[in-house]
Amino acid sequence: MTDEREERLEQLRNLRENSEAYSYNFDRSHTVEELQDFDEGNEGELPEDEFSTAGRVMEIRDFGELVFLDLRGEREEIQIIVRDDEELLEDVEGLYRGDIVGVEGTLTYTDKGEFSLMSQDLEVLSRGVRHVPKEHFGVEDEELQYRNRALHLITDMEARDAFRTRSQIISEIRDFLEDREFMEVETPTIQPVYGGAAAEPFTTHVNALDQEHYLNISPELYLKRLIIGGYERIFEITKNFRNESIDTTHNPEFTMMEIYQAYADYEDMMALMEQLYERVAIEATGSAEVEYQGDTLDFSAPWPRMTMREAIQEYGGFDVQELSDEEIRERMEEHRAELDSDYERGLAIAELFEEVAEENLIQPVHIIDHPEETTPLCMQHRDEDGL
């Protein structure tokens, strides 16, 4: 790979000396995806027009006087055929997997029935100087996938689809909430006092004020100020920053949505959430039932409600309400549950819930009636002390 990269860099240096190494633009008549719309198998009659498209070369199969390229667009691939043209074949000889090219030609089928674009002209638009893993292997290392997202997306079309679905989900969330007269707002990212969650902040210095400030760890406090100011239905989709752990499920910056509605309680919010999930699942995937990691998740509203106490009883086989503090400690030791702080009964119950119940909750469900120690910013339970 080191030798190949040196060759690519040398090639790039020569191009820079003799011509423009990178094109300013390329006029496509069609994207790769649009060209695929003409493929109806050998039964179909292809137009005789000339077409132009562009994409990344993912595979090169060189048979001397005949070369096949797999050209990848944003969503699809098309096979490019180069033959019987000395100048074109010479250009192809200098290609590497990962280079981006523009191609002009006519549509055809090979003798084996493969839909292809027969090249009449080929222009190298962007030279790649780094090795691109072969499609069969891709980027297998999970950490590399997260740290080098461009390389991951080059080699993994399903990853592209996941981000495309994510974008659609966010659009559908906005549409759903705006249909219900919620207004999207923005709150400060740099704050003099951070709050709304228990987390370690990133610090920064504001030169104009000569003061230490913080990146927001949650939009909560500012959103509540907008409710105080008179807005009745608001939401924000925002970046939050927490100067804590890093792994595939925790990032120092992440996207959060918070919603606030005047004159509503948690029953209203549960109804809103399950309706939102149902709508978004249908719009983004075509169904309220979604396949995920071997399970079929059904986001159809309404969802069942289960108290934390009931969940522990269902999956752990014991009733925390009937246990003394000493017995709860024994249960924690039995299930290897630990607290990050001194013992508090409510925190211990929540930890037991995570150990004995959480992994069994596959289908959407609202877990309600949390111990008051776990949610200091929430209202007291209407009827039961300690929740």
Side-chain angles (χ1 to χ4, degrees), residues 142 186-187 275 337 368:
E142 188 174 41
E186 289 186 357
T187 57
Q275 291 164 17
I368 60 174

Side-chain angles (χ1 to χ4, degrees), residues 64-103:
E65 295 298 306
L66 181 64
V67 179
F68 295 99
L69 308 175
D70 290 340
L71 194 70
R72 175 168 291 182
E74 184 177 338
R75 297 171 186 252
E76 299 277 356
E77 286 188 0
I78 190 169
Q79 179 172 266
I80 307 298
I81 303 174
V82 182
R83 67 188 304 175
D84 300 333
D85 188 309
E86 187 175 333
E87 188 176 333
L88 278 181
L89 289 169
E90 192 174 307
D91 287 340
V92 170
E93 275 184 19
L95 281 180
Y96 286 99
R97 287 174 41 254
D99 289 345
I100 295 174
V101 300
V103 185

Side-chain angles (χ1 to χ4, degrees), residues 206-226:
V206 179
N207 291 337
L209 301 174
D210 192 24
Q211 290 179 357
E212 292 298 302
H213 276 53
Y214 309 92
L215 297 186
N216 68 300
I217 60 174
S218 168
E220 178 167 347
L221 302 185
Y222 284 89
L223 290 171
K224 285 180 172 174
R225 290 173 186 173
L226 293 177

Side-chain angles (χ1 to χ4, degrees), residues 170-188:
I170 292 174
S171 295
E172 294 297 340
I173 287 171
R174 286 192 167 102
D175 288 346
F176 175 90
L177 292 172
E178 287 167 359
D179 286 347
R180 286 154 180 77
E181 299 183 350
F182 283 85
M183 180 178 72
E184 185 172 10
V185 298
E186 289 186 357
T187 57

Side-chain angles (χ1 to χ4, degrees), residues 279-292:
R279 154 114 168 240
V280 168
I282 291 171
E283 294 298 326
T285 73
S287 171
E289 293 187 356
V290 177
E291 296 292 331
Y292 182 68

